[in-house]
Each structure stands twice: as C-alpha cells, then as structure tokens.
PDB file of all heavy atoms in Angstrom:
ATOM      1  N   VAL A  25     126.816 105.892 -92.151  1.00  0.00           N
ATOM      2  CA  VAL A  25     125.614 106.335 -92.860  1.00  0.00           C
ATOM      3  C   VAL A  25     125.328 105.442 -93.998  1.00  0.00           C
ATOM      4  O   VAL A  25     126.194 105.279 -94.881  1.00  0.00           O
ATOM      5  CB  VAL A  25     125.707 107.739 -93.229  1.00  0.00           C
ATOM      6  CG1 VAL A  25     124.353 108.230 -94.004  1.00  0.00           C
ATOM      7  CG2 VAL A  25     126.068 108.652 -92.038  1.00  0.00           C
ATOM      8  N   LEU A  26     124.135 104.868 -94.089  1.00  0.00           N
ATOM      9  CA  LEU A  26     123.648 104.126 -95.254  1.00  0.00           C
ATOM     10  C   LEU A  26     122.878 105.023 -96.249  1.00  0.00           C
ATOM     11  O   LEU A  26     123.111 105.007 -97.443  1.00  0.00           O
ATOM     12  CB  LEU A  26     122.798 102.913 -94.908  1.00  0.00           C
ATOM     13  CG  LEU A  26     123.504 101.934 -93.992  1.00  0.00           C
ATOM     14  CD1 LEU A  26     122.575 100.839 -93.561  1.00  0.00           C
ATOM     15  CD2 LEU A  26     124.717 101.342 -94.747  1.00  0.00           C
ATOM     16  N   ASP A  27     121.914 105.821 -95.756  1.00  0.00           N
ATOM     17  CA  ASP A  27     121.210 106.765 -96.482  1.00  0.00           C
ATOM     18  C   ASP A  27     120.752 107.847 -95.545  1.00  0.00           C
ATOM     19  O   ASP A  27     119.806 107.723 -94.811  1.00  0.00           O
ATOM     20  CB  ASP A  27     119.967 106.094 -97.112  1.00  0.00           C
ATOM     21  CG  ASP A  27     119.191 106.974 -98.005  1.00  0.00           C
ATOM     22  OD1 ASP A  27     119.116 108.199 -97.832  1.00  0.00           O
ATOM     23  OD2 ASP A  27     118.467 106.400 -98.992  1.00  0.00           O
ATOM     24  N   GLY A  28     121.412 109.019 -95.635  1.00  0.00           N
ATOM     25  CA  GLY A  28     121.193 110.096 -94.683  1.00  0.00           C
ATOM     26  C   GLY A  28     119.781 110.699 -94.778  1.00  0.00           C
ATOM     27  O   GLY A  28     119.185 110.977 -93.776  1.00  0.00           O
ATOM     28  N   GLU A  29     119.243 110.815 -95.953  1.00  0.00           N
ATOM     29  CA  GLU A  29     117.906 111.381 -96.187  1.00  0.00           C
ATOM     30  C   GLU A  29     116.833 110.450 -95.661  1.00  0.00           C
ATOM     31  O   GLU A  29     115.860 110.941 -95.061  1.00  0.00           O
ATOM     32  CB  GLU A  29     117.559 111.678 -97.651  1.00  0.00           C
ATOM     33  CG  GLU A  29     117.957 113.097 -98.169  1.00  0.00           C
ATOM     34  CD  GLU A  29     117.430 114.166 -97.312  1.00  0.00           C
ATOM     35  OE1 GLU A  29     116.265 114.243 -97.035  1.00  0.00           O
ATOM     36  OE2 GLU A  29     118.214 115.061 -96.882  1.00  0.00           O
ATOM     37  N   ALA A  30     117.027 109.223 -95.788  1.00  0.00           N
ATOM     38  CA  ALA A  30     116.120 108.161 -95.323  1.00  0.00           C
ATOM     39  C   ALA A  30     116.230 107.852 -93.780  1.00  0.00           C
ATOM     40  O   ALA A  30     115.445 107.190 -93.255  1.00  0.00           O
ATOM     41  CB  ALA A  30     116.176 106.869 -96.102  1.00  0.00           C
ATOM     42  N   GLY A  31     117.293 108.445 -93.212  1.00  0.00           N
ATOM     43  CA  GLY A  31     117.565 108.191 -91.805  1.00  0.00           C
ATOM     44  C   GLY A  31     118.092 106.900 -91.537  1.00  0.00           C
ATOM     45  O   GLY A  31     117.910 106.300 -90.380  1.00  0.00           O
ATOM     46  N   LEU A  32     118.806 106.299 -92.487  1.00  0.00           N
ATOM     47  CA  LEU A  32     119.285 104.898 -92.276  1.00  0.00           C
ATOM     48  C   LEU A  32     120.846 104.913 -91.944  1.00  0.00           C
ATOM     49  O   LEU A  32     121.635 105.484 -92.681  1.00  0.00           O
ATOM     50  CB  LEU A  32     119.098 104.084 -93.589  1.00  0.00           C
ATOM     51  CG  LEU A  32     117.674 103.910 -93.986  1.00  0.00           C
ATOM     52  CD1 LEU A  32     117.538 103.130 -95.384  1.00  0.00           C
ATOM     53  CD2 LEU A  32     116.800 103.193 -92.922  1.00  0.00           C
ATOM     54  N   VAL A  33     121.168 104.199 -90.886  1.00  0.00           N
ATOM     55  CA  VAL A  33     122.570 104.059 -90.479  1.00  0.00           C
ATOM     56  C   VAL A  33     122.788 102.576 -90.191  1.00  0.00           C
ATOM     57  O   VAL A  33     121.851 101.857 -89.990  1.00  0.00           O
ATOM     58  CB  VAL A  33     122.872 104.932 -89.233  1.00  0.00           C
ATOM     59  CG1 VAL A  33     122.797 106.374 -89.478  1.00  0.00           C
ATOM     60  CG2 VAL A  33     122.080 104.470 -87.997  1.00  0.00           C
ATOM     61  N   GLU A  34     124.016 102.231 -90.284  1.00  0.00           N
ATOM     62  CA  GLU A  34     124.403 100.804 -89.970  1.00  0.00           C
ATOM     63  C   GLU A  34     124.796 100.641 -88.503  1.00  0.00           C
ATOM     64  O   GLU A  34     125.703 101.370 -88.095  1.00  0.00           O
ATOM     65  CB  GLU A  34     125.562 100.447 -90.889  1.00  0.00           C
ATOM     66  CG  GLU A  34     126.217  99.106 -90.596  1.00  0.00           C
ATOM     67  CD  GLU A  34     127.530  98.919 -91.282  1.00  0.00           C
ATOM     68  OE1 GLU A  34     128.346  99.768 -91.267  1.00  0.00           O
ATOM     69  OE2 GLU A  34     127.642  97.782 -91.856  1.00  0.00           O
ATOM     70  N   ARG A  35     124.068  99.897 -87.815  1.00  0.00           N
ATOM     71  CA  ARG A  35     124.551  99.527 -86.442  1.00  0.00           C
ATOM     72  C   ARG A  35     125.323  98.223 -86.503  1.00  0.00           C
ATOM     73  O   ARG A  35     124.957  97.321 -87.341  1.00  0.00           O
ATOM     74  CB  ARG A  35     123.392  99.480 -85.463  1.00  0.00           C
ATOM     75  CG  ARG A  35     122.590  98.234 -85.501  1.00  0.00           C
ATOM     76  CD  ARG A  35     121.715  98.047 -84.287  1.00  0.00           C
ATOM     77  NE  ARG A  35     120.879  97.009 -84.378  1.00  0.00           N
ATOM     78  CZ  ARG A  35     121.111  95.757 -84.161  1.00  0.00           C
ATOM     79  NH1 ARG A  35     122.375  95.403 -83.783  1.00  0.00           N
ATOM     80  NH2 ARG A  35     120.263  94.743 -84.353  1.00  0.00           N
ATOM     81  N   ARG A  36     126.243  98.039 -85.697  1.00  0.00           N
ATOM     82  CA  ARG A  36     127.173  96.834 -85.779  1.00  0.00           C
ATOM     83  C   ARG A  36     127.102  96.041 -84.522  1.00  0.00           C
ATOM     84  O   ARG A  36     127.729  95.018 -84.430  1.00  0.00           O
ATOM     85  CB  ARG A  36     128.600  97.296 -86.117  1.00  0.00           C
ATOM     86  CG  ARG A  36     128.678  97.933 -87.451  1.00  0.00           C
ATOM     87  CD  ARG A  36     130.163  98.179 -87.781  1.00  0.00           C
ATOM     88  NE  ARG A  36     130.207  98.582 -89.212  1.00  0.00           N
ATOM     89  CZ  ARG A  36     131.318  98.733 -89.884  1.00  0.00           C
ATOM     90  NH1 ARG A  36     132.467  98.656 -89.247  1.00  0.00           N
ATOM     91  NH2 ARG A  36     131.276  99.059 -91.109  1.00  0.00           N
ATOM     92  N   ARG A  37     126.359  96.598 -83.465  1.00  0.00           N
ATOM     93  CA  ARG A  37     126.361  95.775 -82.169  1.00  0.00           C
ATOM     94  C   ARG A  37     124.949  95.707 -81.715  1.00  0.00           C
ATOM     95  O   ARG A  37     124.051  96.362 -82.200  1.00  0.00           O
ATOM     96  CB  ARG A  37     127.288  96.515 -81.160  1.00  0.00           C
ATOM     97  CG  ARG A  37     128.711  96.508 -81.776  1.00  0.00           C
ATOM     98  CD  ARG A  37     129.694  97.201 -80.838  1.00  0.00           C
ATOM     99  NE  ARG A  37     130.986  97.097 -81.470  1.00  0.00           N
ATOM    100  CZ  ARG A  37     131.970  97.971 -81.187  1.00  0.00           C
ATOM    101  NH1 ARG A  37     131.810  98.888 -80.278  1.00  0.00           N
ATOM    102  NH2 ARG A  37     133.141  97.883 -81.871  1.00  0.00           N
ATOM    103  N   GLU A  38     124.772  94.862 -80.678  1.00  0.00           N
ATOM    104  CA  GLU A  38     123.414  94.686 -80.109  1.00  0.00           C
ATOM    105  C   GLU A  38     123.073  95.551 -78.986  1.00  0.00           C
ATOM    106  O   GLU A  38     121.945  95.564 -78.538  1.00  0.00           O
ATOM    107  CB  GLU A  38     123.313  93.154 -79.721  1.00  0.00           C
ATOM    108  CG  GLU A  38     123.470  92.114 -80.785  1.00  0.00           C
ATOM    109  CD  GLU A  38     122.384  92.238 -81.804  1.00  0.00           C
ATOM    110  OE1 GLU A  38     121.185  92.426 -81.415  1.00  0.00           O
ATOM    111  OE2 GLU A  38     122.589  92.191 -82.989  1.00  0.00           O
ATOM    112  N   LYS A  39     124.093  96.227 -78.353  1.00  0.00           N
ATOM    113  CA  LYS A  39     123.822  97.101 -77.230  1.00  0.00           C
ATOM    114  C   LYS A  39     124.207  98.531 -77.552  1.00  0.00           C
ATOM    115  O   LYS A  39     125.135  98.828 -78.253  1.00  0.00           O
ATOM    116  CB  LYS A  39     124.771  96.628 -76.062  1.00  0.00           C
ATOM    117  CG  LYS A  39     124.483  95.207 -75.617  1.00  0.00           C
ATOM    118  CD  LYS A  39     125.530  94.887 -74.547  1.00  0.00           C
ATOM    119  CE  LYS A  39     125.516  93.429 -74.075  1.00  0.00           C
ATOM    120  NZ  LYS A  39     126.461  93.141 -73.027  1.00  0.00           N
ATOM    121  N   LEU A  40     123.451  99.414 -76.968  1.00  0.00           N
ATOM    122  CA  LEU A  40     123.665 100.835 -77.049  1.00  0.00           C
ATOM    123  C   LEU A  40     123.677 101.516 -75.783  1.00  0.00           C
ATOM    124  O   LEU A  40     122.811 101.218 -74.915  1.00  0.00           O
ATOM    125  CB  LEU A  40     122.515 101.448 -77.924  1.00  0.00           C
ATOM    126  CG  LEU A  40     122.657 102.983 -78.181  1.00  0.00           C
ATOM    127  CD1 LEU A  40     123.752 103.271 -79.141  1.00  0.00           C
ATOM    128  CD2 LEU A  40     121.284 103.507 -78.684  1.00  0.00           C
ATOM    129  N   ALA A  41     124.636 102.444 -75.599  1.00  0.00           N
ATOM    130  CA  ALA A  41     124.614 103.304 -74.354  1.00  0.00           C
ATOM    131  C   ALA A  41     124.318 104.696 -74.830  1.00  0.00           C
ATOM    132  O   ALA A  41     125.072 105.287 -75.741  1.00  0.00           O
ATOM    133  CB  ALA A  41     125.972 103.227 -73.659  1.00  0.00           C
ATOM    134  N   ILE A  42     123.313 105.330 -74.322  1.00  0.00           N
ATOM    135  CA  ILE A  42     123.011 106.649 -74.579  1.00  0.00           C
ATOM    136  C   ILE A  42     123.573 107.557 -73.391  1.00  0.00           C
ATOM    137  O   ILE A  42     123.320 107.222 -72.274  1.00  0.00           O
ATOM    138  CB  ILE A  42     121.418 106.926 -74.578  1.00  0.00           C
ATOM    139  CG1 ILE A  42     120.827 106.057 -75.698  1.00  0.00           C
ATOM    140  CG2 ILE A  42     121.083 108.412 -74.709  1.00  0.00           C
ATOM    141  CD1 ILE A  42     119.306 106.103 -75.635  1.00  0.00           C
ATOM    142  N   VAL A  43     124.539 108.468 -73.770  1.00  0.00           N
ATOM    143  CA  VAL A  43     125.260 109.141 -72.761  1.00  0.00           C
ATOM    144  C   VAL A  43     124.934 110.645 -72.763  1.00  0.00           C
ATOM    145  O   VAL A  43     125.017 111.343 -73.766  1.00  0.00           O
ATOM    146  CB  VAL A  43     126.728 108.963 -72.959  1.00  0.00           C
ATOM    147  CG1 VAL A  43     127.535 109.609 -71.822  1.00  0.00           C
ATOM    148  CG2 VAL A  43     127.080 107.434 -73.068  1.00  0.00           C
ATOM    149  N   GLY A  44     124.492 111.164 -71.592  1.00  0.00           N
ATOM    150  CA  GLY A  44     124.244 112.584 -71.445  1.00  0.00           C
ATOM    151  C   GLY A  44     125.162 113.237 -70.534  1.00  0.00           C
ATOM    152  O   GLY A  44     126.172 112.655 -70.144  1.00  0.00           O
ATOM    153  N   TYR A  45     124.883 114.460 -70.140  1.00  0.00           N
ATOM    154  CA  TYR A  45     125.811 115.362 -69.466  1.00  0.00           C
ATOM    155  C   TYR A  45     125.982 115.150 -67.920  1.00  0.00           C
ATOM    156  O   TYR A  45     127.004 115.476 -67.362  1.00  0.00           O
ATOM    157  CB  TYR A  45     125.407 116.833 -69.597  1.00  0.00           C
ATOM    158  CG  TYR A  45     125.805 117.441 -70.904  1.00  0.00           C
ATOM    159  CD1 TYR A  45     124.917 117.427 -71.971  1.00  0.00           C
ATOM    160  CD2 TYR A  45     127.052 118.017 -71.142  1.00  0.00           C
ATOM    161  CE1 TYR A  45     125.258 117.974 -73.173  1.00  0.00           C
ATOM    162  CE2 TYR A  45     127.384 118.562 -72.387  1.00  0.00           C
ATOM    163  CZ  TYR A  45     126.489 118.574 -73.377  1.00  0.00           C
ATOM    164  OH  TYR A  45     126.820 119.116 -74.573  1.00  0.00           O
ATOM    165  N   ALA A  46     124.977 114.566 -67.232  1.00  0.00           N
ATOM    166  CA  ALA A  46     125.036 114.451 -65.802  1.00  0.00           C
ATOM    167  C   ALA A  46     126.215 113.750 -65.347  1.00  0.00           C
ATOM    168  O   ALA A  46     126.443 112.532 -65.703  1.00  0.00           O
ATOM    169  CB  ALA A  46     123.757 113.806 -65.397  1.00  0.00           C
ATOM    170  N   THR A  47     127.030 114.330 -64.497  1.00  0.00           N
ATOM    171  CA  THR A  47     128.272 113.750 -64.054  1.00  0.00           C
ATOM    172  C   THR A  47     128.065 112.642 -63.032  1.00  0.00           C
ATOM    173  O   THR A  47     128.999 111.897 -62.744  1.00  0.00           O
ATOM    174  CB  THR A  47     129.172 114.834 -63.389  1.00  0.00           C
ATOM    175  OG1 THR A  47     128.504 115.443 -62.324  1.00  0.00           O
ATOM    176  CG2 THR A  47     129.604 115.855 -64.442  1.00  0.00           C
ATOM    177  N   SER A  48     126.782 112.504 -62.615  1.00  0.00           N
ATOM    178  CA  SER A  48     126.556 111.437 -61.585  1.00  0.00           C
ATOM    179  C   SER A  48     126.844 109.980 -62.100  1.00  0.00           C
ATOM    180  O   SER A  48     127.232 109.101 -61.375  1.00  0.00           O
ATOM    181  CB  SER A  48     125.084 111.570 -61.106  1.00  0.00           C
ATOM    182  OG  SER A  48     124.131 111.440 -62.262  1.00  0.00           O
ATOM    183  N   THR A  49     126.535 109.808 -63.441  1.00  0.00           N
ATOM    184  CA  THR A  49     126.782 108.461 -64.017  1.00  0.00           C
ATOM    185  C   THR A  49     127.522 108.559 -65.448  1.00  0.00           C
ATOM    186  O   THR A  49     127.798 107.465 -65.902  1.00  0.00           O
ATOM    187  CB  THR A  49     125.521 107.735 -64.119  1.00  0.00           C
ATOM    188  OG1 THR A  49     124.579 108.470 -64.990  1.00  0.00           O
ATOM    189  CG2 THR A  49     124.844 107.487 -62.806  1.00  0.00           C
ATOM    190  N   ARG A  50     127.694 109.713 -65.972  1.00  0.00           N
ATOM    191  CA  ARG A  50     128.276 109.819 -67.266  1.00  0.00           C
ATOM    192  C   ARG A  50     129.609 108.973 -67.475  1.00  0.00           C
ATOM    193  O   ARG A  50     129.688 108.323 -68.427  1.00  0.00           O
ATOM    194  CB  ARG A  50     128.545 111.298 -67.623  1.00  0.00           C
ATOM    195  CG  ARG A  50     129.146 111.491 -69.009  1.00  0.00           C
ATOM    196  CD  ARG A  50     129.435 112.995 -69.233  1.00  0.00           C
ATOM    197  NE  ARG A  50     130.513 113.483 -68.514  1.00  0.00           N
ATOM    198  CZ  ARG A  50     130.745 114.682 -68.015  1.00  0.00           C
ATOM    199  NH1 ARG A  50     129.803 115.641 -68.372  1.00  0.00           N
ATOM    200  NH2 ARG A  50     131.697 115.078 -67.310  1.00  0.00           N
ATOM    201  N   ASP A  51     130.407 109.139 -66.550  1.00  0.00           N
ATOM    202  CA  ASP A  51     131.748 108.432 -66.722  1.00  0.00           C
ATOM    203  C   ASP A  51     131.654 106.933 -66.464  1.00  0.00           C
ATOM    204  O   ASP A  51     132.745 106.305 -66.576  1.00  0.00           O
ATOM    205  CB  ASP A  51     132.788 109.098 -65.771  1.00  0.00           C
ATOM    206  CG  ASP A  51     132.967 110.593 -66.113  1.00  0.00           C
ATOM    207  OD1 ASP A  51     132.815 110.882 -67.359  1.00  0.00           O
ATOM    208  OD2 ASP A  51     133.399 111.342 -65.227  1.00  0.00           O
ATOM    209  N   LEU A  52     130.509 106.448 -66.120  1.00  0.00           N
ATOM    210  CA  LEU A  52     130.338 105.028 -65.922  1.00  0.00           C
ATOM    211  C   LEU A  52     129.976 104.347 -67.224  1.00  0.00           C
ATOM    212  O   LEU A  52     129.902 103.039 -67.216  1.00  0.00           O
ATOM    213  CB  LEU A  52     129.296 104.700 -64.836  1.00  0.00           C
ATOM    214  CG  LEU A  52     129.620 105.285 -63.459  1.00  0.00           C
ATOM    215  CD1 LEU A  52     128.464 105.082 -62.540  1.00  0.00           C
ATOM    216  CD2 LEU A  52     130.847 104.637 -62.839  1.00  0.00           C
ATOM    217  N   ALA A  53     129.770 105.060 -68.221  1.00  0.00           N
ATOM    218  CA  ALA A  53     129.352 104.472 -69.554  1.00  0.00           C
ATOM    219  C   ALA A  53     130.439 103.504 -70.044  1.00  0.00           C
ATOM    220  O   ALA A  53     131.581 103.742 -69.732  1.00  0.00           O
ATOM    221  CB  ALA A  53     129.087 105.601 -70.580  1.00  0.00           C
ATOM    222  N   PRO A  54     130.035 102.506 -70.869  1.00  0.00           N
ATOM    223  CA  PRO A  54     130.900 101.488 -71.217  1.00  0.00           C
ATOM    224  C   PRO A  54     131.798 101.806 -72.472  1.00  0.00           C
ATOM    225  O   PRO A  54     131.798 101.199 -73.442  1.00  0.00           O
ATOM    226  CB  PRO A  54     130.014 100.265 -71.531  1.00  0.00           C
ATOM    227  CG  PRO A  54     128.776 100.969 -72.005  1.00  0.00           C
ATOM    228  CD  PRO A  54     128.633 102.186 -71.196  1.00  0.00           C
ATOM    229  N   PHE A  55     132.601 102.858 -72.323  1.00  0.00           N
ATOM    230  CA  PHE A  55     133.428 103.387 -73.391  1.00  0.00           C
ATOM    231  C   PHE A  55     134.458 102.326 -73.873  1.00  0.00           C
ATOM    232  O   PHE A  55     134.792 102.275 -75.093  1.00  0.00           O
ATOM    233  CB  PHE A  55     134.099 104.642 -73.008  1.00  0.00           C
ATOM    234  CG  PHE A  55     133.206 105.774 -72.637  1.00  0.00           C
ATOM    235  CD1 PHE A  55     133.169 106.282 -71.309  1.00  0.00           C
ATOM    236  CD2 PHE A  55     132.324 106.308 -73.531  1.00  0.00           C
ATOM    237  CE1 PHE A  55     132.334 107.322 -70.961  1.00  0.00           C
ATOM    238  CE2 PHE A  55     131.476 107.405 -73.236  1.00  0.00           C
ATOM    239  CZ  PHE A  55     131.454 107.823 -71.980  1.00  0.00           C
ATOM    240  N   ASN A  56     134.930 101.497 -72.977  1.00  0.00           N
ATOM    241  CA  ASN A  56     135.932 100.529 -73.272  1.00  0.00           C
ATOM    242  C   ASN A  56     135.344  99.077 -73.472  1.00  0.00           C
ATOM    243  O   ASN A  56     136.115  98.128 -73.375  1.00  0.00           O
ATOM    244  CB  ASN A  56     137.045 100.570 -72.213  1.00  0.00           C
ATOM    245  CG  ASN A  56     137.822 101.814 -72.246  1.00  0.00           C
ATOM    246  OD1 ASN A  56     138.147 102.394 -73.305  1.00  0.00           O
ATOM    247  ND2 ASN A  56     137.982 102.443 -71.067  1.00  0.00           N
ATOM    248  N   ASP A  57     134.095  99.024 -73.650  1.00  0.00           N
ATOM    249  CA  ASP A  57     133.450  97.730 -73.783  1.00  0.00           C
ATOM    250  C   ASP A  57     132.918  97.629 -75.259  1.00  0.00           C
ATOM    251  O   ASP A  57     132.048  98.414 -75.704  1.00  0.00           O
ATOM    252  CB  ASP A  57     132.273  97.615 -72.864  1.00  0.00           C
ATOM    253  CG  ASP A  57     131.435  96.289 -72.993  1.00  0.00           C
ATOM    254  OD1 ASP A  57     131.705  95.546 -73.962  1.00  0.00           O
ATOM    255  OD2 ASP A  57     130.745  95.939 -72.065  1.00  0.00           O
ATOM    256  N   ASP A  58     133.593  96.829 -76.113  1.00  0.00           N
ATOM    257  CA  ASP A  58     133.346  96.750 -77.524  1.00  0.00           C
ATOM    258  C   ASP A  58     132.108  96.015 -77.880  1.00  0.00           C
ATOM    259  O   ASP A  58     131.696  95.825 -78.986  1.00  0.00           O
ATOM    260  CB  ASP A  58     134.485  96.257 -78.338  1.00  0.00           C
ATOM    261  CG  ASP A  58     134.839  94.854 -78.034  1.00  0.00           C
ATOM    262  OD1 ASP A  58     134.157  94.141 -77.307  1.00  0.00           O
ATOM    263  OD2 ASP A  58     135.894  94.325 -78.556  1.00  0.00           O
ATOM    264  N   SER A  59     131.242  95.641 -76.856  1.00  0.00           N
ATOM    265  CA  SER A  59     129.902  95.049 -77.116  1.00  0.00           C
ATOM    266  C   SER A  59     128.897  96.156 -77.233  1.00  0.00           C
ATOM    267  O   SER A  59     127.745  95.890 -77.594  1.00  0.00           O
ATOM    268  CB  SER A  59     129.546  94.005 -76.061  1.00  0.00           C
ATOM    269  OG  SER A  59     129.304  94.658 -74.869  1.00  0.00           O
ATOM    270  N   TYR A  60     129.272  97.454 -76.852  1.00  0.00           N
ATOM    271  CA  TYR A  60     128.329  98.537 -76.854  1.00  0.00           C
ATOM    272  C   TYR A  60     128.692  99.500 -77.985  1.00  0.00           C
ATOM    273  O   TYR A  60     129.915  99.787 -78.234  1.00  0.00           O
ATOM    274  CB  TYR A  60     128.353  99.351 -75.607  1.00  0.00           C
ATOM    275  CG  TYR A  60     127.599  98.777 -74.426  1.00  0.00           C
ATOM    276  CD1 TYR A  60     128.191  97.868 -73.629  1.00  0.00           C
ATOM    277  CD2 TYR A  60     126.294  99.211 -74.242  1.00  0.00           C
ATOM    278  CE1 TYR A  60     127.417  97.386 -72.545  1.00  0.00           C
ATOM    279  CE2 TYR A  60     125.515  98.659 -73.211  1.00  0.00           C
ATOM    280  CZ  TYR A  60     126.073  97.767 -72.409  1.00  0.00           C
ATOM    281  OH  TYR A  60     125.341  97.222 -71.308  1.00  0.00           O
ATOM    282  N   GLU A  61     127.640 100.118 -78.568  1.00  0.00           N
ATOM    283  CA  GLU A  61     127.880 101.341 -79.307  1.00  0.00           C
ATOM    284  C   GLU A  61     127.511 102.490 -78.412  1.00  0.00           C
ATOM    285  O   GLU A  61     126.619 102.361 -77.554  1.00  0.00           O
ATOM    286  CB  GLU A  61     126.979 101.332 -80.593  1.00  0.00           C
ATOM    287  CG  GLU A  61     127.617 100.327 -81.608  1.00  0.00           C
ATOM    288  CD  GLU A  61     126.886 100.279 -82.974  1.00  0.00           C
ATOM    289  OE1 GLU A  61     125.633 100.239 -83.031  1.00  0.00           O
ATOM    290  OE2 GLU A  61     127.623 100.216 -83.954  1.00  0.00           O
ATOM    291  N   ILE A  62     128.045 103.625 -78.661  1.00  0.00           N
ATOM    292  CA  ILE A  62     127.794 104.810 -77.812  1.00  0.00           C
ATOM    293  C   ILE A  62     127.206 105.944 -78.682  1.00  0.00           C
ATOM    294  O   ILE A  62     127.747 106.205 -79.776  1.00  0.00           O
ATOM    295  CB  ILE A  62     129.139 105.276 -77.211  1.00  0.00           C
ATOM    296  CG1 ILE A  62     129.945 104.234 -76.510  1.00  0.00           C
ATOM    297  CG2 ILE A  62     128.996 106.534 -76.299  1.00  0.00           C
ATOM    298  CD1 ILE A  62     129.390 103.739 -75.189  1.00  0.00           C
ATOM    299  N   VAL A  63     126.168 106.526 -78.134  1.00  0.00           N
ATOM    300  CA  VAL A  63     125.658 107.779 -78.779  1.00  0.00           C
ATOM    301  C   VAL A  63     125.598 108.906 -77.705  1.00  0.00           C
ATOM    302  O   VAL A  63     125.200 108.679 -76.647  1.00  0.00           O
ATOM    303  CB  VAL A  63     124.227 107.520 -79.383  1.00  0.00           C
ATOM    304  CG1 VAL A  63     123.230 107.098 -78.371  1.00  0.00           C
ATOM    305  CG2 VAL A  63     123.794 108.763 -80.141  1.00  0.00           C
TER     306      VAL A  63
END
C-alpha cells in the first residue's frame, strides 16, 4: 500500500491474473509464474 485513502498501491509486474471461484479454470491461474501478480 502506498496511500490507502487515495487508493494507491504499488504494482511490481506487468501482468495481472484476476482469479474467481469457478472451478472450471480457477486452478489454471499462473500462481507459480512470477511474471504475474494475482488478485
């Protein structure tokens, strides 16, 4: 967190994986790929 009230966070990578509950593809997310951040 850089500034919580302003909604500012530090991202460190160029790729993001948004992961939801559906089991159809959830476990395929790149958890072990350090080029992605995961939310």
Side-chain angles (χ1 to χ4, degrees):
V25 176
L26 298 176
D27 184 333
E29 270 310 309
L32 299 175
V33 297
E34 173 189 46
R35 80 165 170 79
R36 295 186 169 185
R37 301 184 180 152
E38 297 295 317
K39 299 177 186 177
L40 178 71
I42 299 171
V43 184
Y45 281 93
T47 56
S48 56
T49 58
R50 178 182 71 207
D51 296 334
L52 300 175
F55 300 114
N56 295 314
D57 181 342
D58 65 6
S59 69
Y60 279 89
E61 289 183 316
I62 306 287
V63 61

